[in-house]
Amino acid sequence: MTIDLPKGRAPSIRDVARLAGVSHQTVSRVLNDHPSIRDSTKAKVLQVMEDLQYRPNRAARALSRGRSRTIGLLSAESAYGPASSIAAIQDAAQEAGYYVNTANLTSVDTESIEAALEHLMNQSVEGIVVIAPQVRVFDALEQLSIDVPFVTLQSTGRLDNSLSVDQMTGARQATRHLIDLGHRSIYHLAGPQDWIEAEARMRGFLDEMWEMDVPTMAPILGDWTADFGYRAGRELLRRRDFTAIFASNDLMALGFMHACREAGLDLPRDMSIVGYDDIPEAAHFWPPLTTVRQDFAELGRRCIALLLSNLSGGVPIERSDPIIPELIVRGSTAPPAF
């Protein structure tokens, strides 16, 4: 087939119709999978579309159908956990035939959240996913009226339609692993105070230490960064009154490992370290990091399934139990050298 279009112009629905020898209404019916179209006509139109590399205007199709097939994603912060949740949700939405528009919050005050929600609503989103790790975001959401179905992740449990990973259980697994190895002097490098995940992991650490009747030292509030882990490590290693560290994420664990190496310690002979998240690089730390893995793909699937069940108007899916994370034991932990 000879295709002659003006240079620099993308093919249109009328170009497809002209080359296929049909009306543009017929092409539109093919795009919308209308049952009245003969198979031979459909095949001819689809072949022309492929030859032209025609991409239909999604916005125009949405208007004609009265649906956008678009989900809004309201995201605050960009730490590994939230970022991985976003990727999982985008994959799950695409499999379900939906697009995702994202609004990133640079501030988490009520006015900024309201403006971000308004931005998403102006995109004609059918539903919204809220990934907000901080308590104050949910404080703001409770004051706002959201006119479409929405699902929240990392929720405090105060809002309906929330999904999460069981952060407390993951933290208890990490802490119990160190206790089972024989450690009795364990510090916890916690995340920022306002983060829901950081609070849950700290509570899990404290609960496990208390239940196992192990003396507890006050957790150290960090900021998720490797720099903080390094600085905390340099400070703590001056007194060396502990044999193990449970860091609330892998980056702080990495920084702490740096401080240990700089102090001439052998890991894990002189110090055991457990992280949290199992970032892709964790298996390549030296030694490879023992950590806690979260199933973000499953979280994304559940999130989209819950949201779409609300959109369809069918039988609502009940809020599922939190996803249980998995302890991944590698080379950064060992029994203490007494």
Side-chain angles (χ1 to χ4, degrees):
M1 176 186 296
T2 301
I3 301 173
D4 185 18
L5 293 175
K7 186 176 181 180
R9 180 172 72 80
S12 69
I13 191 172
R14 294 186 181 277
D15 295 322
V16 175
R18 175 172 57 83
L19 291 172
V22 298
S23 68
H24 71 272
Q25 291 93 338
T26 297
V27 176
S28 178
R29 292 189 185 100
V30 170
L31 289 171
N32 292 316
D33 201 22
H34 198 281
S36 68
I37 300 298
R38 289 197 299 263
D39 289 343
S40 58
T41 301
K42 181 178 180 180
K44 181 167 60 175
V45 170
L46 291 175
Q47 183 60 56
V48 171
M49 288 172 59
E50 182 177 342
D51 293 340
L52 287 175
Q53 295 185 329
Y54 170 70
R55 299 293 180 266
N57 185 313
R58 177 165 58 89
R61 291 177 65 194
L63 288 173
S64 67
R65 294 177 178 181
R67 295 188 58 186
S68 68
R69 296 198 69 82
T70 301
I71 291 171
L73 185 59
L74 180 65
S75 174
E77 298 291 343
S78 58
Y80 176 74
S84 298
S85 298
I86 290 171
I89 287 165
Q90 289 173 329
D91 289 343
Q94 185 175 6
E95 289 182 8
Y98 279 77
Y99 301 89
V100 176
N101 281 345
T102 302
N104 293 307
L105 292 171
T106 56
S107 175
V108 290
D109 57 86
T110 302
E111 292 76 14
S112 297
I113 294 170
E114 191 169 12
L117 289 172
E118 183 178 356
H119 169 75
L120 291 175
M121 296 302 295
N122 288 338
Q123 309 303 312
S124 301
V125 298
E126 297 183 29
I128 293 175
V129 178
V130 180
I131 301 180
Q134 296 109 331
V135 175
R136 59 187 181 273
V137 175
F138 290 93
D139 291 339
L141 286 175
E142 288 183 319
Q143 301 173 28
L144 300 175
S145 176
I146 302 178
D147 296 329
V148 296
F150 70 97
V151 174
T152 66
L153 300 186
Q154 291 109 12
S155 174
T156 59
R158 295 178 302 180
L159 300 175
D160 294 331
N161 293 337
S162 64
L163 295 169
S164 64
V165 174
D166 192 337
Q167 305 292 343
M168 285 187 63
T169 293
R172 295 190 70 148
Q173 290 174 349
T175 307
R176 182 61 178 266
H177 171 64
L178 292 171
I179 294 172
D180 286 347
L181 287 172
H183 294 278
R184 294 298 180 270
S185 300
I186 307 168
Y187 271 110
H188 177 48
L189 295 185
Q193 189 172 13
D194 188 46
W195 280 58
I196 297 166
E197 293 178 342
E199 174 68 21
R201 293 172 194 178
M202 183 169 64
R203 286 172 54 199
F205 165 77
L206 294 172
D207 286 354
E208 191 66 25
M209 294 285 280
W210 180 84
E211 187 171 302
M212 298 302 295
D213 197 25
V214 177
T216 303
M217 293 176 280
I220 300 165
L221 298 182
D223 63 5
W224 297 132
T225 67
D227 282 344
F228 178 85
Y230 172 71
R231 294 194 304 271
R234 292 192 63 181
E235 183 66 28
L236 290 171
L237 290 173
R238 290 177 183 175
R239 54 182 183 265
R240 286 287 302 276
D241 58 347
F242 62 104
T243 61
I245 283 283
F246 165 41
S248 195
N249 77 335
D250 292 342
L251 287 179
M252 289 194 295
L254 173 62
F256 192 89
M257 293 169 84
H258 178 191
C260 288
R261 291 291 186 191
E262 194 174 81
L265 300 185
D266 180 84
L267 305 176
R269 185 190 66 193
D270 300 324
M271 184 70 60
S272 286
I273 303 174
V274 180
Y276 204 111
D277 280 336
D278 194 27
I279 62 175
E281 298 83 2
H284 305 288
F285 291 1
W286 190 252
L289 183 64
T290 295
T291 186
V292 178
R293 176 182 296 164
Q294 305 179 71
D295 191 345
F296 291 110
E298 177 62 18
L299 187 64
R301 285 191 292 269
R302 290 190 191 184
C303 177
I304 294 301
L306 178 59
L307 186 59
L308 295 187
S309 74
N310 292 334
L311 290 175
S312 67
V315 178
I317 296 177
E318 294 184 1
R319 184 168 64 183
S320 58
D321 293 333
I323 296 171
I324 303 299
E326 177 186 5
L327 178 69
I328 305 298
V329 178
R330 297 193 179 105
S332 66
T333 51
F338 294 113

